[in-house]
Amino acid sequence: MVRTLMAVPPASPTPASPAAPRRAPGDPYCANCGYSLKGLTSTPNCPECGRPLVEVLVRERAPFRGIRFRTEATLFGLPLIHIAMGPGPEAGQMRGHARGIIAIGDTAVGGIAIGGVSAGVVSIGGCTAGVVGIGGLSVGLGAALGGLAIGGFATGGGAIGVIASGGGAAGFIAEGGGAAGYYARGGSAWGAHTIDYRGTSDPQAKELFDALEPVLGSLGGQSAAWRPMLVPVGAALVLSVL
């Protein structure tokens, strides 16, 4: 008996899955297998795993990239303007650190510094220190303005200074809702020479505050406590660019 050997045709090769496109941040992709779906318009299913796109299509939010800018022109070795806000992966920074004559950043140091935390001749931000400080918490060698202000001339919700004016004020000369100082004027006043709502009106205090009325305003009128800041602010602005 002759046996006929039948040749078994080779199995058809399984079609290779298309190479997964490289996925960039912000591209749509399959939540089931991770395949990039960018530019896919001809099929309702994921080419890799076959799941319906309506079930698996997701998109990652592109990571926030910060702002980085620096002028080529410099003064005293510092750029005239340096801006650094937000993450800077190329510099390994989660927050921007700016240093310049004019510095703007999450953290800023310069002649004029503006940032969440800032230090400079003129410093503006959430937490500030400088010759002139303006911010939520401000410390100024010359003048300070803020929620809490500490400086030679200080004005704010809470103020501590040689001349202090605020909701609560403490200084050599103090005025406010509550004021404590050698000379004090306010709703409630404590000090060696005071003027307050209880009718206390020390002659020396009256003479001093009458002389300072162009600067501090009158007890019953509108306060002008920001005026003492004009001289240190002007001087600081000049110093910051010299």
Side-chain angles (χ1 to χ4, degrees):
M1 180 171 49
V2 180
R3 293 183 178 180
T4 304
L5 298 177
M6 301 292 293
V8 179
S12 300
T14 302
S17 298
R22 185 174 180 179
R23 194 174 88 212
D27 286 353
Y29 67 95
C30 175
N32 182 57
C33 65
Y35 188 86
S36 174
L37 302 175
K38 182 179 180 181
L40 191 67
T41 58
S42 59
T43 176
N45 302 316
C46 172
E48 179 70 12
C49 67
R51 295 285 296 274
L53 295 186
V54 293
E55 297 178 4
V56 297
L57 189 148
V58 293
R59 184 189 299 270
E60 287 181 342
R61 180 176 295 179
F64 172 74
R65 294 186 64 84
I67 300 171
R68 295 294 184 275
F69 172 78
R70 177 195 297 262
T71 59
E72 294 184 0
T74 63
L75 185 63
F76 305 123
L78 295 173
L80 291 179
I81 301 174
H82 186 195
I83 301 173
M85 302 178 67
E90 65 285 348
Q93 296 178 347
M94 291 299 295
R95 297 176 180 83
H97 303 284
R99 293 175 61 88
I101 301 302
I102 298 175
I104 303 172
D106 299 313
T107 300
V109 177
I112 299 175
I114 303 172
V117 177
S118 61
V121 180
V122 176
S123 181
I124 302 171
C127 181
T128 72
V131 176
V132 173
I134 302 172
L137 169 60
S138 61
V139 178
L141 182 63
L145 170 65
L148 174 60
I150 303 172
F153 301 104
T155 182
I160 301 172
V162 178
I163 297 178
S165 177
F172 181 74
I173 299 172
E175 72 159 8
Y182 188 76
Y183 294 95
R185 181 178 72 172
S188 295
W190 301 271
H193 304 284
T194 64
I195 300 173
D196 63 27
Y197 76 97
R198 294 168 295 187
T200 303
S201 182
D202 180 270
Q204 290 189 40
K206 186 176 186 309
E207 182 179 354
L208 174 70
F209 284 106
D210 284 348
L212 291 177
E213 186 171 327
V215 172
L216 297 177
S218 62
L219 181 61
Q222 185 176 3
S223 175
W226 54 269
R227 291 179 189 168
M229 299 181 68
L230 292 178
V231 172
V233 167
L237 287 171
V238 172
L239 288 172
S240 67
V241 296
L242 290 181

